[in-house]
Amino acid sequence: MRGSGKLAAGALAGVLLAGASAGTAAAAGDPVRAAVGNLVAEGGFPAAVAWVRKGEAVSRFGAGFANPATREPAGPHHRFRIASNTKAFVATVVLRLVGEGALSLDDSIERRLPGVVRGPGYAPEKITLRMLLNHTSGVHDPLDPHFFDPYLVQGNRAYVYTPSEVIRRSLVDPPSFAPGTGVKYSNTGYLLLGKVIEKVTRTDVREEIQRRVLDPLGLGRTYFPLRSPFLRGPHLHGYDLSGQDMTVFSPSYDWTAGAMVSTVGDLATFHRALLAGRLLEPAQQAELERLVPSGKFGAYGAGVETINLPCPGGPKTVWGNTGAGPGFYSVSMSTEDGSKQIVLALNVYDLAKDVAHENPLPSSPLPAVAAALC
């Protein structure tokens, strides 16, 4: 999920873009490295890790400390919670199943999960899988402001929400709009898609992602935790704005909406393959890239999004994902022609601020993204 699950992608793009100028990245030497370093030196992040490609030239570097308590330097080998970047992996599996004839994007959620979507005002026979993929279903996330209390108030970071419980709590309140008549970011929609994958394949969705994406691409540092609140192997520690360590946090509530863990290099390999059309057949690639405008900041595709990046020569559309969750914020974006790419991992995101509809980041990552992609 993106933070509390209430912060839409347009709003998240707004967090990325607000209050920053692309021109601030223009530093002597390597402007990308300078901008990434500045996120630590002046931007308030304990660490920033980047993977940057221009053509076939790749650079990988970190700034700051993966763990300020031990002063372990941050580097590209460190894992982090990728949050909503997970959605592109899930969408890839759904679209692969469509290409194999096991699903149709015109299938209703009622057909695929009969009896699951029940709540005041919902019309599950009119909600299609395509709508769940591109956030036009009207299904929203839990509106209960106390949803995260087990973690933030009671202090039980290992608390487990099952996907079924999150879905049930989301459906207590009426939908945001009638199916297909609006756009609103929905993590719960991706929990439903995870359940569809498991019902159709009769396999754990994590195994499907492993077999169809991680293994073929050799993404050995990427994994999908289910309930454990701990991160495996070398990893960044994540923090809130007060400096509280949020690294230990159950990903159970996020599941197929945002529970995965990766590195900047693995995430870069995945997005490059996906956006270049190497994971999907042409018809399904077209569905991935079919955009639904989500406001002035960009648009949604099927599991990916675009952001209108302000550049000195005018706005440039970039493709990929952003991800935000307790302690971690990441950007994985490429230019439309695929010639430039950046994956940036940062280790502050304040979930409590997000729940309160306040800015959850200490500063904007825009200068680093613009330096790499403009």
Side-chain angles (χ1 to χ4, degrees), residues 96-312:
R96 290 279 292 270
L97 291 169
V98 170
E100 295 164 11
L103 291 172
S104 167
L105 293 185
D106 294 318
D107 289 344
S108 71
I109 194 62
E110 180 64 14
R111 176 184 175 187
R112 290 300 173 181
L113 296 176
V116 171
V117 177
R118 290 291 184 272
Y122 283 93
E125 72 282 355
K126 296 181 181 178
I127 297 173
T128 66
L129 302 187
R130 181 182 287 106
M131 293 174 188
L132 295 173
L133 283 169
N134 64 19
H135 305 289
T136 60
S137 69
V139 176
H140 53 65
D141 301 332
L143 301 182
D144 181 358
H146 299 290
F147 179 81
F148 283 98
D149 279 4
Y151 306 103
L152 299 179
V153 177
Q154 299 164 20
N156 182 6
R157 300 281 185 77
Y159 186 85
V160 171
Y161 272 120
T162 66
S164 293
E165 175 65 7
V166 179
I167 292 168
R168 186 193 68 77
R169 294 185 64 164
S170 299
L171 300 175
V172 168
D173 297 288
S176 299
F177 44 78
T181 65
V183 184
K184 186 174 183 180
Y185 195 86
S186 174
N187 295 292
T188 302
Y190 272 75
L191 302 186
L192 290 166
L193 289 168
K195 285 190 167 291
V196 169
I197 291 170
E198 293 196 333
K199 184 166 185 181
V200 169
T201 64
R202 297 183 175 87
T203 308
D204 188 310
V205 66
R206 296 172 298 166
E207 294 181 24
E208 291 296 317
I209 291 173
Q210 188 75 41
R211 181 173 66 85
R212 295 172 178 273
V213 182
L214 304 188
D215 287 345
L217 294 178
L219 306 185
R221 293 182 174 177
T222 301
Y223 71 100
F224 192 146
L226 188 62
R227 297 184 176 186
S228 173
F230 303 103
L231 290 175
R232 301 179 196 162
H235 58 269
L236 299 179
H237 280 239
Y239 300 89
D240 66 13
L241 286 170
S242 73
Q244 182 180 13
D245 194 321
M246 304 293 285
T247 310
V248 176
F249 207 105
S250 172
S252 60
Y253 73 93
D254 241 355
W255 197 45
T256 45
M260 291 179 68
V261 175
S262 190
T263 63
V264 289
D266 271 14
L267 199 51
T269 297
F270 166 67
H271 270 123
R272 187 177 189 185
L274 178 63
L275 295 173
R278 300 207 304 269
L279 296 178
L280 300 172
E281 295 297 327
Q284 283 69 57
Q285 189 74 18
E287 289 287 354
L288 179 89
E289 298 172 359
R290 180 186 293 184
L291 296 177
V292 176
S294 61
K296 64 180 180 178
F297 292 118
Y300 298 127
V304 296
E305 63 191 274
T306 65
I307 293 176
N308 299 324
L309 184 67
C311 293

